[in-house]
Amino acid sequence: MPGRSTATAVYAYGATAGLVADLALGDPRRGHPVAAFGRAAGAVERLLWRDHRGWGALHTAVCAGGAAAAGALAARAVRGRGAASVALTAASVWAVVGGTTLGREARAIGGALAAGDLDVARERLPHLCGRDPQSLDGPAMARAVVESVAENTSDAVVGALVWGAVAGVPGLVGFRAVNTLDAMVGHKSPRYRRFGWASARLDDLAGWPGARLTAALAVAAGGDPRGAVRAWRADAAKHPSPNAGPVEASFAGALGVRLGGTLAYGGRVEHRPVLNGAGRAVAVADIERAVTLSRRVTALTLGVCVGGRMIVNAMKRRGA
């Protein structure tokens, strides 16, 4: 069985290789493991769906628990084999993070907005977020993109790396499964208000540490640390999501822009509080700035996670 330092090295090398693979390749166009999980979860939903929280909790346990268990079995199969363990970790990181595709989609929409082609921007916006694009003008789409980059930096990158540092491959796979289930059934539509409750609550719990780390690193990596801290402290709690609030507020302060306000999801109009009200309106150029900030946060997250594991190991050795 590998020692603690070996496990830390496996995570460090594997996570680095996985992020490099994501940077070079992005998400696969076909056969994405997350899409395969989504299809499997949909099949389980068709079997278990009832308008009841208990059945929704069972759906969550079967899907998320099954994914984490599969990751644990795979990790156990390569335990003690350093190269194979690194390769499995790298493949898992590449499969569950989506930072490069996030940046590509955001830049594609930004390019269309810069060219004045609102039709193309509206066509691409659903690839990034669930807003109703037909109800948005150019500035509103730019704001939606910046908000999505901020939130998905936490959901699609930082949260996964944090749980990978805590629990290895099962943590990586389990976190992505929970996050995917929340996207599928965690919203408050009539069908999922009860059935999706467990997935939504579990996603809030799993996303809590990654969201706070994302917000803290946005403060460190952004252009206005004081503004980011001020917006985080003043406005994060106003957001309806306990995890998106700190992330979007800190990004807003770091970039010097206003986020939040009126938006539409699936025919529903929501009036959300404004984040960083002292900032200016989002401009198209802020999309590139948000993507750059997201990449800086990703790089810092890897360092924090590896460093955190090393510190914990050193403390355990002292206490042994």
Side-chain angles (χ1 to χ4, degrees), residues 160-295:
L161 292 175
V162 167
W163 281 104
V166 171
V169 170
L172 288 163
V173 175
F175 176 81
R176 175 53 60 224
V178 169
N179 192 247
T180 303
L181 286 175
D182 178 61
M184 294 176 66
V185 305
H187 37 89
K188 294 182 179 180
S189 66
R191 177 178 175 86
Y192 294 122
R193 187 177 301 275
R194 295 185 183 87
F195 185 82
W197 178 86
S199 290
R201 298 290 78 74
L202 183 59
D203 182 68
D204 287 343
L205 181 64
W208 196 94
R212 274 72 194 166
L213 179 58
T214 303
L217 294 181
V219 171
D224 186 357
R226 290 184 178 179
V229 171
R230 184 167 56 248
W232 182 1
R233 295 180 61 184
D235 299 330
K238 300 175 183 177
H239 197 286
S241 167
N243 294 331
V247 172
E248 291 186 21
S250 63
F251 263 67
L255 298 172
V257 300
R258 292 192 308 272
L259 299 179
T262 301
L263 48 85
Y265 283 104
R268 260 184 8 263
V269 176
E270 294 185 15
H271 301 284
R272 293 185 176 176
V274 172
L275 307 178
N276 193 39
R280 56 177 173 77
V282 175
V284 173
D286 293 315
I287 293 175
E288 180 62 32
R289 296 176 63 226
V291 172
T292 299
L293 178 56
S294 175
R295 288 196 167 186

Side-chain angles (χ1 to χ4, degrees), residues 14-28 32 90-91 93-104 107 156-157 161 288 291-292 294-296 298-299 302:
T16 301
L19 288 176
V20 170
D22 177 63
L23 186 63
L25 304 173
D27 292 336
H32 197 297
V93 168
W94 174 66
V96 303
V97 303
T100 294
T101 297
L102 172 65
R104 287 176 182 171
R107 284 169 168 156
V157 183
L161 292 175
E288 180 62 32
V291 172
T292 299
S294 175
R295 288 196 167 186
R296 290 174 181 167
T298 297
L302 179 62

